[in-house]
Amino acid sequence: QVQLVESGGGLVQAGGSLRLSCVASGRTFSMYRVGWFRQAPGKEREFVSGFAWNDGSTYYADSVKGRFTISREKAKNMVYLQMNSLEPEDTAVYYCAAGLQFYFNEAVNVRLKSNYEYWGQGTQVTVSS
């Protein structure tokens, strides 16, 4: 089992920044990929950013590319999402997730919800106009 706990959400003005944190515990040695997803009211949960835990290669949704940055502190089992130039459209509950399965085409598979077995409880991000 892997447990994930997010923090860092809040209310911010458009154009501002937030930094989300996620700490993993349990069988963290089994993790292959870690990612961030978000879900706005009435919408499907969508991919935001992710990376291969050991390799460090990073991937982003087109909607956040150039504004958000994912990073890690591997020794502390921590993953971060630095969010800059926030827009009202970024308002959502943000979830940290971990997957255990290796795939060759990581650029595709990192974006799929079905490839993540463990999820955090979510943290609310609200961006005011």
Side-chain angles (χ1 to χ4, degrees):
Q1 299 292 317
V2 175
Q3 294 80 43
L4 304 167
V5 179
E6 306 101 329
S7 62
L11 176 63
V12 66
Q13 186 179 7
S17 299
L18 284 173
R19 186 197 191 212
L20 305 184
S21 300
C22 173
V23 60
S25 60
R27 298 183 65 192
T28 56
F29 58 87
S30 298
M31 295 192 304
Y32 180 76
R33 70 181 57 80
V34 177
W36 290 94
F37 290 75
R38 67 186 182 187
Q39 187 168 22
K43 296 185 178 180
E44 297 291 324
R45 191 170 299 186
E46 65 177 357
F47 173 78
V48 177
S49 183
F51 64 87
W53 182 246
N54 291 314
D55 177 76
S57 299
T58 59
Y59 307 89
Y60 297 91
D62 289 342
S63 59
V64 307
K65 199 171 186 178
R67 300 188 296 121
F68 292 8
T69 303
I70 192 169
S71 61
R72 66 174 179 173
E73 290 187 68
K74 189 176 181 181
K76 298 176 65 175
N77 292 323
M78 296 288 294
V79 60
Y80 306 97
L81 185 68
Q82 179 66 46
M83 305 186 295
N84 298 326
S85 301
L86 283 163
E87 304 167 353
E89 292 74 20
D90 296 316
T91 296
V93 177
Y94 284 71
Y95 297 89
C96 180
L100 309 184
Q101 180 64 54
F102 167 81
Y103 298 100
F104 283 101
N105 194 351
E106 187 64 16
V108 171
N109 286 290
V110 72
R111 304 172 188 272
L112 304 179
K113 296 188 294 290
S114 61
N115 289 336
Y116 294 83
E117 294 80 39
Y118 301 98
W119 296 82
Q121 81 288 347
T123 185
Q124 177 70 49
V125 172
T126 302
V127 184
S128 61
S129 60

